[in-house]
């Protein structure tokens, strides 16, 4: 018995992860409210802005922490929100809060900056990122330490009666120098961070740049604003209200970071919806090449490859239907939760399955697309029906490819058999007939009876005629010139026997014996057709290489008997089959006024 489905009590987007993120945001906001209560009770507007910004960073961090590749960024953002909440302990002006506040503020900026540098790959990818992080740790931890070591609490805006401030080496002059140096270092740190962010952009792929650019601009603005607003409080004997006012301004500016991440998330989602729509448009009507080109277009990866599963052959085939080995290692799910490869390095094979869990296809993408797994999933899901239709077409192509391969094997076997038969005729039957002719000549010379002598002479003449016919047959089976010297010399012998003016323009390059044997046969057929059927008085044969192809043309000035223009005449149908068996194609062009041209193209890689 199947129970009825439970009724959903919340919208689909408000799942457990979203609820946990909101709880984390509220908890951090409550902590910040308690830590800064002495200041918030007189500054409600600053409290609202700062608490919303702090909670926003915590919410965004908790959501990012649920992703495999953004987990570290999310945890750092949550830590940053906690540090910013603890930063407001300075408002109590008592206990260890004033001493902890500068470290909490420093850790906030450090965690926030490191989280952005880790986003979205999950690690510090570039040397500049790692160098800046070490420099930031030294500055953001060293400067607060130098301040409380060389000052008294009242010099740093804290005048409470129970402030815990060790101050082992208070010196007013040294404290002023520390303030100046710290102010300069903060500005240098902020500007260098902006430079590091800008240097990362050209090294990123187009899709990753679109994701990180809003966050990069927002945090660069936050860092520079923090450095500039920090400068006025780097003065001795500043009031606590002025110090906390700067903190409130910085908290308001920091709210730009969660807003930028929210905008990035919305943009990514809109991109996924746009990808789905474009896939549906680009794959109508679906075909193997159209589906592959659509995926290349929507994912901005011109190197994308697509292979379909052929269940009858139990192998993956390419878009032409040819089997492809070594494709059993496709990733069945999303991006690998482990550390990703370097940007743009390597390839990512994504296995696609049907709704029933059966193999459908394998998509090979650039390694950088691992960071955009949701976009890839949206494209594959939108093109699912087109992929299934294209798989059926590829299976038909695979069947045709098997037939073509079998025909090609027959042609290769025929070529080998022709060579064997020609060799047997030359080394066996011809040699025996020559020996018999020599014996008849001897008999003719030694015979005394004129009747015997005449009879031996007649037998030798018939034998020589038979030997000539046998040599012609051996030449037709596999001419020795074709094996030894190639197409040009072999076709010259054929042209001499035709009795028609034949112009030969044949390349001297050599090719595989299957190609040379098949091309020789079809060219002989084309010449015979031009002379016997078209009654040509002039024939031109051109054979030339064209990149990875071999192009052969036979042009004549004869009449074209019957047939539609462009159609292969009946007399040349056998030629077309041999050419297709070698993965080539044949075209026929002509009319009664300018003769006929037969053009054959063969791959010769």
């Amino acid at each position: 018995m199947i129970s009825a489905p439970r009724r959903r009590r919340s919208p689909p987007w408000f799942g457990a992860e979203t609820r946990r993120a909101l709880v984390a945001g509220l908890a951090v906001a409550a902590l910040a409210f308690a830590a800064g209560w002495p200041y918030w009770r007189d500054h409600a507007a600053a409290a609202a802005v700062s608490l919303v910004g702090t909670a926003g960073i915590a919410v965004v961090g908790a959501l990012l922490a649920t992703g495999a590749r953004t987990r570290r960024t999310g945890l750092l953002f949550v830590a940053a929100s906690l540090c910013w909440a603890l930063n407001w302990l300075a408002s109590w002006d008592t206990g260890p809060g004033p001493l902890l506040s500068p470290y909490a503020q420093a850790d906030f900026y450090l965690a926030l900056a490191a989280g952005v540098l880790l986003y979205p790959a999950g690690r510090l990818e570039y040397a500049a990122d790692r160098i800046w992080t070490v420099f930031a740790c030294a500055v953001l931890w060293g400067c607060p330490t130098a301040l409380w070591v060389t000052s008294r609490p009242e010099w740093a805006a804290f005048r409470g009666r129970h402030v815990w401030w060790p101050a082992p080496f208070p010196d007013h002059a040294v404290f002023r120098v520390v303030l100046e140096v710290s102010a300069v270092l903060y500005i240098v740190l902020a500007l260098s961070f902006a430079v590091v962010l800008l240097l990362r952009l050209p090294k990123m792929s187009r899709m990753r740049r679109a994701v990180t650019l809003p966050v990069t601009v927002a945090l660069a603005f936050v860092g520079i604003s923090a450095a500039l607003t920090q400068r006025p409080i780097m003065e001795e004997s500043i009031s606590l209200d002025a110090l906390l006012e700067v903190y409130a301004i910085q908290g308001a500016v920091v709210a730009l970071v969660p807003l930028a991440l929210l905008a990035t998330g919305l943009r990514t989602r809109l991109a996924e919806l746009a990808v789905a729509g474009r896939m549906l448009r680009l794959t109508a009507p679906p075909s193997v090449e159209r589906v592959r080109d659509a995926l290349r277009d929507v994912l901005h990866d011109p190197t994308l490859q697509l292979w379909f599963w052929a269940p009858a052959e139990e192998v993956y085939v390419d878009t032409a239907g040819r089997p492809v080995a070594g494709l059993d290692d496709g990733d069945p799910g999303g991006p690998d939760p482990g550390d990703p490869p370097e940007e743009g390095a390597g390839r990512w094979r994504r296995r696609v399955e049907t709704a029933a869990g059966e193999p459908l296809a394998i998509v090979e993408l650039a390694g950088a697309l691992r960071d955009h797994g949701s976009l890839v999933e949206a494209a594959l899901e939108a093109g699912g029906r087109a992929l299934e239709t294209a798989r059926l077409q590829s299976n038909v192509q695979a069947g045709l490819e098997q037939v073509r391969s079998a025909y090609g094997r027959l042609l290769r076997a025929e070529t080998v058999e022709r060579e064997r038969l020609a060799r047997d005729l030359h080394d066996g039957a011809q040699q025996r007939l020559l020996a018999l002719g020599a014996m008849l000549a001897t008999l003719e010379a030694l015979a005394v009876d004129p009747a015997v002598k005449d009879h031996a002479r007649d037998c030798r003449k018939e034998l020589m005629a038979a030997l000539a016919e046998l040599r012609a047959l051996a030449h037709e089976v596999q001419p020795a010139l074709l094996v030894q010297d190639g197409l040009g010399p072999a076709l010259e012998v054929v042209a001499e026997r035709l009795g028609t003016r034949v112009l030969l323009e044949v390349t001297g390059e050599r090719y595989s014996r299957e190609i040379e044997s098949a091309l020789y046969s079809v060219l002989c057929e084309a010449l015979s057709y031009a002379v016997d059927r078209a009654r040509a008085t002039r024939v031109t044969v051109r054979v030339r290489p064209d990149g990875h192809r071999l192009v052969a043309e036979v042009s004549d000035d004869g009449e074209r008997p019957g047939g539609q223009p462009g159609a292969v005449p009946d007399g040349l149908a056998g030629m077309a089959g041999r050419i297709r068996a070698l993965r080539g194609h044949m075209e026929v062009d002509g009319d009664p006024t300018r003769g006929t041209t037969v053009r054959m193209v063969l791959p010769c890689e």
Side-chain angles (χ1 to χ4, degrees):
M1 182 175 181
I2 302 176
S3 59
R6 296 181 62 184
R7 187 174 182 181
R8 179 179 287 273
R9 297 170 180 255
S10 59
W13 53 267
F14 194 71
E17 296 176 351
T18 305
R19 290 194 291 270
R20 284 195 294 268
L22 290 177
V23 169
L26 292 175
V28 171
L31 178 62
F33 184 79
W37 170 247
Y39 183 73
W40 300 138
R41 59 189 176 188
D42 297 326
H43 302 83
V49 174
S50 296
L51 294 179
V52 168
T54 305
I57 295 176
V59 170
V60 170
L63 291 175
L64 289 175
T66 60
R69 297 169 101 58
T70 57
R71 180 177 180 82
R72 295 176 182 176
T73 296
L75 293 177
L76 285 172
F77 276 24
V78 172
S81 64
L82 290 172
C83 290
W84 190 251
L86 295 176
N87 174 58
W88 289 100
L89 289 174
S91 63
W92 289 90
D93 199 15
T94 186
L99 185 63
L100 294 176
S101 176
Y103 288 102
Q105 184 190 37
D107 288 338
F108 164 76
Y109 285 112
L110 182 60
L112 202 64
V116 170
L117 293 179
L118 289 170
Y119 180 80
R123 74 190 189 287
L124 299 176
E125 297 182 276
Y126 310 109
D129 299 350
R130 295 186 284 271
I131 293 173
W132 185 90
T133 303
V134 174
F135 176 59
C137 291
V139 171
L140 294 176
W141 291 337
C143 290
T145 302
L147 286 174
W148 66 260
V149 166
T150 60
S151 68
R152 299 188 185 278
E154 57 270 15
W155 299 352
F158 302 109
R159 297 172 176 82
R161 297 178 59 184
H162 303 289
V163 174
W164 188 74
W165 195 274
F169 307 106
D171 188 300
H172 195 272
V174 175
F175 174 65
R176 293 183 60 184
V177 173
V178 169
L179 286 177
E180 293 295 333
V181 172
S182 298
V184 172
L185 287 178
Y186 287 148
I187 294 177
V188 171
L189 186 64
L191 294 177
S192 63
F193 181 67
V195 171
V196 167
L197 293 179
L198 293 176
L199 290 177
R200 300 170 76 227
L201 294 178
K203 302 177 183 178
M204 295 180 178
S205 63
R206 175 181 174 182
M207 298 183 68
R208 180 184 286 190
R209 194 181 304 123
V211 171
T212 58
L213 184 58
V215 183
T216 297
V217 173
L219 197 57
F221 178 75
V222 168
I224 295 174
S225 301
L228 295 178
T229 54
Q230 194 79 1
R231 183 65 180 86
I233 65 174
M234 292 288 104
E235 302 290 344
E236 52 184 311
S237 301
I238 187 174
S239 66
L240 181 59
D241 283 344
L243 176 66
L244 296 177
E245 182 180 353
V246 171
Y247 287 175
I249 295 174
Q250 292 180 356
V253 175
V254 164
L256 291 176
V257 175
L259 291 176
L261 284 167
L262 178 61
T264 299
L266 291 175
R267 180 175 181 178
T268 301
R269 183 56 182 160
L270 291 175
E272 294 174 6
L273 296 175
V275 160
R278 290 179 65 192
M279 278 296 299
L280 294 176
R281 290 194 305 271
L282 293 175
T283 56
S287 67
V288 175
E289 290 79 8
R290 191 184 293 272
V291 171
R292 181 198 60 194
D293 294 341
L295 287 172
R296 288 179 175 179
D297 182 71
V298 300
L299 296 177
H300 306 289
D301 181 10
T303 64
L304 181 145
Q305 295 295 331
L306 183 61
W307 300 288
F308 292 95
W309 175 250
E313 294 80 11
E314 294 187 349
V315 69
Y316 284 95
V317 297
D318 61 14
T319 54
R322 291 188 290 266
V324 181
L327 294 180
D328 298 330
D329 55 346
D331 180 7
D336 185 4
D339 289 337
E342 291 293 331
E343 170 84 15
R347 305 287 291 170
W348 174 30
R349 286 180 180 173
R350 172 72 170 83
R351 188 166 69 246
V352 185
E353 298 178 346
T354 64
E358 299 175 352
L360 175 60
I362 285 182
V363 184
E364 185 181 81
L365 314 104
L369 285 172
R370 286 179 178 270
D371 295 330
H372 309 280
S374 59
L375 198 64
V376 174
E377 291 299 319
L380 294 178
E381 184 175 354
R385 185 63 60 86
L387 281 170
E388 293 186 5
T389 303
R391 197 267 296 270
L392 296 177
Q393 298 178 5
S394 71
N395 288 347
V396 174
Q397 290 289 340
L400 294 175
E401 181 63 23
Q402 281 196 329
V403 174
R404 191 179 293 115
S405 299
Y407 195 6
R409 288 193 296 270
L410 287 176
L411 285 181
R412 287 190 291 272
E414 178 187 343
T415 301
V416 173
E417 188 62 23
R418 279 174 175 266
E419 293 179 357
R420 187 195 63 79
L421 182 57
R423 186 169 56 253
D424 290 346
L425 289 174
H426 180 272
D427 298 339
Q430 292 187 51
Q431 298 303 321
R432 289 179 179 274
L433 291 177
L434 285 174
L436 183 57
M439 292 172 62
L440 289 174
T442 303
L443 178 61
E444 179 185 355
L446 296 177
V448 177
D449 188 352
V452 174
K453 187 182 291 288
D454 292 340
H455 190 65
R457 185 184 303 111
D458 293 339
C459 289
R460 193 163 64 87
K461 288 181 180 179
E462 290 295 329
L463 183 62
M464 291 299 104
L467 181 60
E469 292 179 0
L470 187 60
R471 284 175 174 170
L473 178 61
H475 184 81
E476 292 293 336
V477 170
Q478 187 72 28
L481 279 175
L482 177 63
V483 178
Q484 296 173 4
D485 301 328
L487 279 171
L491 290 174
E492 289 178 2
V493 176
V494 176
E496 291 175 359
R497 297 202 311 266
L498 287 176
T500 302
R501 186 178 179 185
V502 179
L503 175 63
L504 295 176
E505 298 178 7
V506 182
T507 178
E509 297 184 21
R510 299 302 304 270
Y511 299 94
S512 66
R513 61 182 183 178
E514 291 85 5
I515 289 181
E516 288 188 345
S517 177
L519 194 56
Y520 173 79
S521 298
V522 296
L523 287 176
C524 288
E525 286 189 46
L527 286 171
S528 176
Y529 178 86
V531 175
D532 298 338
R533 300 283 299 276
R535 300 183 183 88
T537 59
R538 178 185 176 89
V539 183
T540 302
V541 179
R542 297 184 179 88
V543 180
R544 67 183 188 280
D546 182 13
H548 295 296
R549 305 182 305 169
L550 184 62
V551 181
E553 291 181 351
V554 179
S555 304
D556 63 69
D557 59 355
E559 300 177 358
R560 180 170 180 184
Q564 297 294 327
V568 179
D570 294 339
L572 301 180
M575 293 171 48
R578 295 176 67 90
I579 294 298
R580 286 195 298 269
L582 295 173
R583 305 184 189 280
H585 65 275
M586 187 174 77
E587 303 170 356
V588 179
D589 182 27
D591 57 47
T593 61
R594 55 186 178 87
T596 303
T597 298
V598 180
R599 187 172 187 268
M600 294 156 283
V601 180
L602 287 171
C604 56
E605 295 183 5

